[in-house]
Amino acid sequence: MLSDRQQMILNAIVDNYIHSAEPVGSRTISKRDDIGFSSATIRNEMSDLEELGYLEQPHTSAGRVPSTKGYRFYVDNLIQPHLLEEAELGKLKQLFAERILHSEQVVEYTAQILSQLTNYTAIVLGPEIFEHRLKHIQIVPLNETQAVAIVVTHTGRVENKLIDLPEGIGAGEIERLVNLLNGKLTDVPLWQLRQRLYQEISGEMQRHTEQYEEILQFLNNSLTQEEERVYLRGATKILNQPEFRDVDKVKDILELLEQHDQLLNVIGMQGDGLTVRIGQENQLDAIKQCSIITTSYSLGGKPVGMVGILGPTRMEYGKVITVLNHLAEGLSRMLTSQFEK
Amino acid sequence: MLSDRQQMILNAIVDNYIHSAEPVGSRTISKRDDIGFSSATIRNEMSDLEELGYLEQPHTSAGRVPSTKGYRFYVDNLIQPHLLEEAELGKLKQLFAERILHSEQVVEYTAQILSQLTNYTAIVLGPEIFEHRLKHIQIVPLNETQAVAIVVTHTGRVENKLIDLPEGIGAGEIERLVNLLNGKLTDVPLWQLRQRLYQEISGEMQRHTEQYEEILQFLNNSLTQEEERVYLRGATKILNQPEFRDVDKVKDILELLEQHDQLLNVIGMQGDGLTVRIGQENQLDAIKQCSIITTSYSLGGKPVGMVGILGPTRMEYGKVITVLNHLAEGLSRMLTSQFEK
DNA sequence: TTTAGCACTCGATAAGCATGAGTGCTAACA
DNA sequence: TGTTAGCACTCATGCTTATCGAGTGCTAAA
């Protein structure tokens, strides 16, 4: 275990490095107000800390830099509660006050704010409300051969798809089908839809089943499969970091972020609460120089989505964690109050 | 006017520079198979071309580089028809064969292919079908106070929004309203909706107007305003270009591309046909080191959207233009055949 | 009109050197 | 015994200088 003084010094080093982005030397630390030891003493301690794996030295005559293990200890034990500024709190409050009803917009706006507040890249996922229940099905014919199928869930989510109509089908028949579907399937959870669809409907409409095949297919496919909505904001913020002034270093990261389907792997829906993955702890090679902090937000106590921040390992952990906690809490409250009606 | 030989040399220089990214010298040109002159002769001509503003010299002892004017001449007069490879044509064909019905998916996929084929950044806009006509309105109540309003246009586009219901409104009343709206407004072009809405409906339903205010507002606002759909793919391709190996040089470009609402300014819905904007010719400062090639695609002869490529001024103009032309033509054919039913 | 020849320019690369931030170790001190 | 002053040592950084060579412009000959 680290002595109090070692912790104090480690804390000072991480703190300094986070703000300066330069390897920190013993003298810099000894000059700090909160440290009352000479540079020589600090040097000895730093040497020990390096031996223990908490620090690294880019080269002999340079200062020292926290290792992944060092950051990990800092995050787990040393981090100090960060107070948000008035203006920052204001922005968050404003977000929650905003009367945006569609979840997509909330998510998008959240990512925006998050990136603005932290100056890092924000990734926001969800909300995935797993217990979508079917509220309404509608089929609107456009012409002889095409129609739009629309499905509304009880949470207000709307999905739609252009479909081809079976040949020779009439408006009356479509209406009957729609009525039947609505009658039988309202309030059925989406995940049961596949099963119920064929069970209830195709029994009743045996003679038409073939004709309706495509329509049923649509309902079956595009509704039971959850579409993950990921929003990314401030991807280019990483370019402001001095350790990423080299194009080769950022290229992989930006390319990764550009593939939206990869983003899920990046923020990796794992733990429900606050998760910090530091540098090497990340699975993906492209972001082994980065840290990712995520937390989940919930609806009625049940986690439904995630908010996350991607930044350099030399990240303002304290601030980011505070912001994320505030945000997740606010979002949860907002969602819950909105849908509990 | 430039002599034949001058044109030949300018062409060779642009051609070389596009592929090498290095200032080209007289000897390099004289060694080319298609040039039968000594380096000295080339030097004289190059000197003249520089005086005329077609070439620039980074410094005295370097080769020369095309100026904006030089590229312009190249694009307008010298460009040679570019033949696409079998594999490239295949990818395009595959795109058009794809039976994707929703326009958003087509657009997204188009951007993807475009970026893959050219190795530059692709921006795709639309399709904006300006004569959307209303096909169907639906209001699905979710609970006592909320409902989803859904609008379908005759082209199959679906818009939806969560709205608050006026207090004490019943299911029956909503249905009456919806029926009224559908009865009166079907086939009305969206741009007329605002006017017709208040004119026809509010007359008829005077006593309810206040209650329905929000619903009418939704229809009024979110439907008459065209939402531009812009898709961006391959934004990070610019990082492969040797002239953009400096983070400071790409930062502004990537930040611009990140703001989706700015993209319209980038590809700038101007001319209908093929447009090439080279370096300095661009309005936005961030992309004065880039060239943008755009063209429009159409539905039934009427331009409805744009496809564009953003790359360095040192761009493979010939290839990009060919690809864009193919693509626009194919898209137009595809759209037209799909909607003419 | 073309081209061979040659002096000249100037960025890029490398080598040499001074600087200074930072270290590790030792010995003296409280 | 823990702390610190002192000092030799290391090594990245920045500066200067020298060399190299790709490329030019000009002149004179073919």
Side-chain angles (χ1 to χ4, degrees), chain B residues 95-204:
Chain B
L95 168 64
F96 303 136
E98 197 81 37
R99 244 182 113 277
I100 314 168
L101 290 159
H102 256 187
S103 65
E104 289 156 47
Q105 283 170 42
V106 180
V107 169
E108 201 179 332
Y109 196 34
T110 299
Q112 180 82 42
I113 298 256
L114 208 44
S115 170
Q116 270 178 23
L117 284 184
T118 60
N119 259 307
Y120 301 119
T121 305
I123 305 174
V124 180
L125 167 64
E128 274 322 309
I129 296 115
F130 295 108
E131 288 233 342
H132 284 294
R133 265 172 284 122
L134 187 66
K135 190 77 190 182
H136 190 79
I137 293 176
Q138 182 78 21
I139 295 176
V140 181
L142 298 174
N143 49 45
E144 292 291 294
T145 58
Q146 293 182 311
V148 181
I150 299 170
V151 165
V152 185
T153 70
H154 80 296
T155 57
R157 188 156 136 188
V158 179
E159 295 282 349
N160 69 86
K161 195 176 186 187
L162 256 173
I163 55 176
D164 285 335
L165 291 173
E167 239 170 79
I169 197 169
E173 266 192 282
I174 292 178
E175 207 178 316
R176 277 207 317 145
L177 173 63
V178 169
N179 286 338
L180 181 71
L181 289 170
N182 278 315
K184 289 285 183 189
L185 297 178
T186 299
D187 281 332
V188 169
L190 289 193
W191 62 271
Q192 282 185 13
L193 215 59
R194 181 185 297 264
Q195 176 191 351
R196 295 283 286 273
L197 199 62
Y198 282 88
Q199 180 181 316
E200 305 231 9
I201 307 299
S202 50
E204 189 122 357

Side-chain angles (χ1 to χ4, degrees), chain B residues 28-259:
Chain B
T28 317
I29 298 300
S30 82
K31 268 189 296 188
R32 280 174 63 121
D33 290 346
D34 53 343
I35 307 279
F37 301 95
S38 76
S39 63
T41 308
I42 308 292
R43 267 203 295 286
N44 290 329
E45 295 285 25
M46 281 167 91
S47 183
D48 291 350
L49 283 170
E50 181 173 3
E51 212 160 297
L52 292 168
Y54 293 96
L55 296 177
E56 276 164 6
Q57 217 171 358
H59 54 265
T60 332
S61 69
R64 284 179 171 93
V65 160
S67 65
T68 298
K69 187 174 171 187
Y71 283 119
R72 172 52 63 198
F73 190 88
Y74 172 80
V75 168
D76 289 344
N77 305 290
L78 304 176
I79 233 165
Q80 347 227 320
H82 180 97
L83 292 182
L84 293 179
E85 283 169 30
E86 207 47 58
E88 298 172 325
L89 277 172
K91 273 203 177 169
L92 284 171
K93 278 216 184 93
Q94 196 185 326
L95 168 64
F96 303 136
E98 197 81 37
R99 244 182 113 277
I100 314 168
L101 290 159
H102 256 187
S103 65
E104 289 156 47
Q105 283 170 42
V106 180
V107 169
E108 201 179 332
Y109 196 34
T110 299
Q112 180 82 42
I113 298 256
L114 208 44
S115 170
Q116 270 178 23
L117 284 184
T118 60
N119 259 307
Y120 301 119
T121 305
I123 305 174
V124 180
L125 167 64
E128 274 322 309
I129 296 115
F130 295 108
E131 288 233 342
H132 284 294
R133 265 172 284 122
L134 187 66
K135 190 77 190 182
H136 190 79
I137 293 176
Q138 182 78 21
I139 295 176
V140 181
L142 298 174
N143 49 45
E144 292 291 294
T145 58
Q146 293 182 311
V148 181
I150 299 170
V151 165
V152 185
T153 70
H154 80 296
T155 57
R157 188 156 136 188
V158 179
E159 295 282 349
N160 69 86
K161 195 176 186 187
L162 256 173
I163 55 176
D164 285 335
L165 291 173
E167 239 170 79
I169 197 169
E173 266 192 282
I174 292 178
E175 207 178 316
R176 277 207 317 145
L177 173 63
V178 169
N179 286 338
L180 181 71
L181 289 170
N182 278 315
K184 289 285 183 189
L185 297 178
T186 299
D187 281 332
V188 169
L190 289 193
W191 62 271
Q192 282 185 13
L193 215 59
R194 181 185 297 264
Q195 176 191 351
R196 295 283 286 273
L197 199 62
Y198 282 88
Q199 180 181 316
E200 305 231 9
I201 307 299
S202 50
E204 189 122 357
M205 307 196 71
Q206 208 134 31
R207 64 189 188 89
H208 287 302
T209 314
E210 264 182 50
Q211 285 187 22
Y212 293 145
E213 190 57 37
E214 192 182 358
I215 297 173
L216 297 180
Q217 277 291 341
F218 157 64
L219 296 172
N220 199 348
N221 290 335
S222 70
L223 294 184
T224 50
Q225 110 194 3
E226 287 287 328
E227 191 187 320
E228 302 278 9
R229 300 182 206 278
V230 195
Y231 284 81
L232 178 74
R233 279 298 151 97
T236 54
K237 298 268 183 183
I238 196 85
L239 297 173
N240 296 324
Q241 302 299 336
E243 56 264 64
F244 290 103
R245 298 212 58 74
D246 181 1
V247 167
D248 289 322
K249 291 220 181 93
V250 276
K251 206 178 134 200
D252 289 344
I253 300 174
L254 289 177
E255 279 174 359
L256 177 69
L257 294 181
E258 206 181 2
Q259 299 169 275

Side-chain angles (χ1 to χ4, degrees), chain A residues 238-256:
Chain A
I238 196 85
L239 297 173
N240 297 324
Q241 302 299 337
E243 57 265 63
F244 290 103
R245 296 212 60 72
D246 181 0
V247 168
D248 289 322
K249 292 219 180 94
V250 276
K251 206 178 133 199
D252 288 345
I253 301 173
L254 289 178
E255 279 173 0
L256 177 69

